[in-house]
Amino acid sequence: MAHAQSGYIFGPCVAWWLAKAGAQVTVVEKAASLLATGQNIDVNGSALNIIDRMGLMDELRRRNTTEKGTQLIDQHGRPFASFPVTEGVEASPTSEFEILRGDLALMLYDASKDHPNVEYRFGITVQEVLSNDEKSVKVKLSNGKVETFDLLVAADGQWSKIRKQCFKPETIKIVDKNMTAVYATIPRLPHDNMMWNIYFALGSRIVSTRPDPYGTIRACFTRMPCNDEQKLAWQSASRSDQKTQKELLRSTFADAGWQAQRLLDGMDAADDFYFHAIQQIRMSTWSESRVICLGDAAYAPTPLTGMGASLAILGSYVLAGEISKLNDGEHPQRALKAYETAFKPFVEKIQSIPFFFPAAVHPRTALGRWVLQSFLWILAKIVAVPWIVKRFSGDEKAEDFPLPQYEVFADTVSEKGH
């Protein structure tokens, strides 16, 4: 019997695949219900194959954010480069399979919640791991109950409390990318379009808006500090309360230009304000006896990779597949090590962000902004030429991680593809 401390995407996804493998799965979630919150994410590469095998491709398309592409805004508030979504090619920062994080979580939850092998418990967390040995893993839940399981899956996010209890500090490395992103949902106005609009303000600041399928706008600010004083202020704010965070945000972006003032006012009233220091989690080992960290708890890649959701989906499939190969009553360590051996090299490749990014898209000076905008203007002209796009662009549906084949999942192979 497996127990999963839920991550919004990973918990329901790993529950689906573990149940498919024959395991009895209990998923605990801190929230009283699964909340449809979160900003845009995309599913691509081999993760689309997994969604297809789950029979969820039509649902993934139905829940699309409706974003038609990406356009870049100049200092006068005018679009200067456009990258529309083109089916079958990867020529835009906007994905063909764009979806809100909360919608993807709900889609995966709906797919798994009625399975006879899956039990969801809301409003509950793992308060303490009491033992983790050869026989079982014993946990104390936040409702006071003590329960025993064969496996504990820690999918409780980037700052996992289970990870802190079960793994030595020296096995965990935090890689700071010197950037903060601030998100919120704000009211839509009549002049808003269906594009991801990105404005490069001076002083290493970005302001952006994105449409959603609910008649609102997903707003975002990103900031890279230009000196040690600014860095200290933003690091301190990330550990502080919302009032402090909003005050720092407003003082930093008040003169940014374009729609910054509108977004600041909207964020003051937003109920989903989220202040996110962009940091990766890297672990020397993902498992300890019967406890395994997965998703952001083990390998948070950051939004800079665009691969957080895809890694969670792929990891769910591979972990469940390796567990399916265990003998009855066998300790799960063999499967956990096999999972790490199969999947960790791909994760490390995804986490290898080029040294010049994200600084290259956060210009400090007017000259730096001119160089960046000129490059992007030329790039937009190039990708607008159909034969160039077809020859040189990738296909976001193309396999990026060779999927292991597991006998227990043989009946999930799609016959119609993407």
Side-chain angles (χ1 to χ4, degrees):
M1 184 163 57
H3 176 92
Q5 173 85 29
S6 177
Y8 261 31
I9 296 169
F10 191 87
C13 194
V14 76
W16 194 97
W17 285 103
L18 284 173
K20 184 73 178 175
Q24 295 288 329
V25 185
T26 301
V27 183
V28 298
E29 165 58 49
K30 181 179 181 180
S33 62
L34 208 59
L35 305 175
T37 58
Q39 301 296 311
N40 294 52
I41 56 178
D42 55 76
V43 183
N44 48 45
S46 300
L48 285 170
N49 191 318
I50 300 299
I51 293 295
D52 200 14
R53 291 184 179 202
M54 297 173 75
L56 297 174
M57 280 300 294
D58 289 344
E59 188 65 13
L60 181 67
R61 288 189 175 98
R62 188 185 72 81
R63 293 176 181 262
N64 185 271
T65 62
T66 69
E67 189 171 289
K68 303 303 182 185
T70 301
Q71 68 177 11
L72 309 177
I73 309 298
D74 67 16
Q75 57 269 38
H76 305 294
R78 299 178 302 215
F80 69 89
S82 181
F83 300 86
V85 172
T86 303
E87 185 177 354
V89 296
E90 198 171 10
S92 173
T94 297
S95 167
E96 183 182 346
F97 300 95
E98 206 78 37
I99 186 171
L100 295 177
R101 177 175 174 268
D103 284 348
L104 179 59
L106 286 171
M107 182 184 84
L108 295 169
Y109 167 68
D110 287 342
S112 60
K113 64 184 176 70
D114 294 326
H115 195 289
N117 286 10
V118 178
E119 177 192 3
Y120 280 91
R121 302 182 192 176
F122 290 98
I124 296 176
T125 61
V126 173
Q127 188 174 68
E128 184 180 357
V129 179
L130 300 174
S131 64
N132 175 27
D133 53 38
E134 285 297 315
K135 293 182 179 180
S136 65
V137 55
K138 185 182 294 185
V139 299
K140 181 180 180 181
L141 302 177
S142 56
N143 60 6
K145 291 184 178 180
V146 174
E147 298 192 33
T148 300
F149 297 92
D150 298 314
L151 175 68
L152 174 59
V153 179
D156 52 338
Q158 186 173 7
W159 308 114
S160 168
K161 293 182 178 180
I162 296 174
R163 183 187 66 208
K164 186 175 181 180
Q165 290 185 58
C166 299
F167 292 81
K168 295 178 180 178
E170 56 266 28
T171 66
I172 305 158
K173 182 180 180 181
I174 299 172
V175 181
D176 183 63
K177 304 309 292 183
N178 194 36
M179 173 181 152
T180 300
V182 185
Y183 308 97
T185 303
I186 66 172
R188 184 180 179 90
L189 299 180
H191 61 73
D192 286 321
N193 55 41
M194 302 307 294
M195 304 288 280
W196 180 9
N197 299 278
I198 302 175
Y199 166 68
F200 304 106
L202 300 181
S204 300
R205 300 171 293 177
I206 291 178
V207 183
S208 71
T209 62
R210 310 185 75 164
D212 66 25
Y214 301 108
T216 49
I217 290 293
R218 306 291 164 143
C220 177
F221 293 102
T222 65
R223 167 67 158 161
M224 292 192 71
C226 297
N227 53 52
D228 290 342
E229 182 181 357
Q230 291 178 359
K231 185 171 184 175
L232 181 63
W234 281 80
Q235 287 179 337
S236 176
S238 70
R239 300 185 293 269
S240 190
D241 55 43
Q242 275 197 17
K243 181 176 182 295
T244 300
Q245 293 170 350
K246 289 180 178 180
E247 287 174 351
L248 177 61
L249 185 69
R250 186 170 285 278
S251 66
T252 301
F253 282 88
D255 64 346
W258 189 49
Q259 297 189 33
Q261 194 61 51
R262 170 204 171 185
L263 269 62
L264 289 169
D265 293 342
M267 284 191 173
D268 277 343
D271 58 7
D272 62 347
F273 179 88
Y274 183 51
F275 193 99
H276 183 202
I278 305 300
Q279 297 173 320
Q280 290 184 338
I281 299 296
R282 301 185 183 185
M283 299 183 70
S284 58
T285 180
W286 294 343
S287 66
E288 178 62 39
S289 191
R290 293 176 178 271
V291 177
I292 184 162
C293 293
L294 296 172
D296 283 353
Y299 42 79
T302 77
L304 298 174
T305 67
M307 284 292 289
S310 293
L311 288 181
I313 292 166
L314 289 168
S316 302
Y317 169 82
V318 179
L319 173 65
E322 295 300 333
I323 288 176
S324 74
K325 295 174 0 182
L326 293 173
N327 299 317
D328 289 345
E330 182 181 356
H331 193 288
Q333 193 62 39
R334 177 168 66 90
L336 304 186
K337 292 300 182 185
Y339 164 75
E340 190 166 338
T341 299
F343 195 49
K344 196 170 188 178
F346 179 68
V347 169
E348 291 176 341
K349 177 183 175 182
I350 295 300
Q351 287 187 316
S352 298
I353 298 171
F355 72 91
F356 54 83
F357 190 74
V361 294
H362 284 80
R364 295 190 182 192
T365 65
L367 176 61
R369 180 166 67 180
W370 178 84
V371 171
L372 174 63
Q373 291 184 164
S374 298
F375 169 75
L376 293 171
W377 180 83
I378 294 171
L379 184 61
K381 296 298 182 184
I382 292 173
V383 301
V385 180
W387 72 266
I388 293 179
V389 172
K390 290 180 180 179
R391 182 171 180 179
F392 296 104
S393 70
D395 182 351
E396 59 188 325
K397 298 180 225 176
E399 185 177 80
D400 50 4
F401 172 72
L403 294 177
Q405 300 303 311
Y406 301 107
E407 184 178 351
V408 71
F409 301 145
D411 64 341
T412 66
V413 176
S414 172
E415 296 180 358
K416 62 180 181 180
H418 301 312

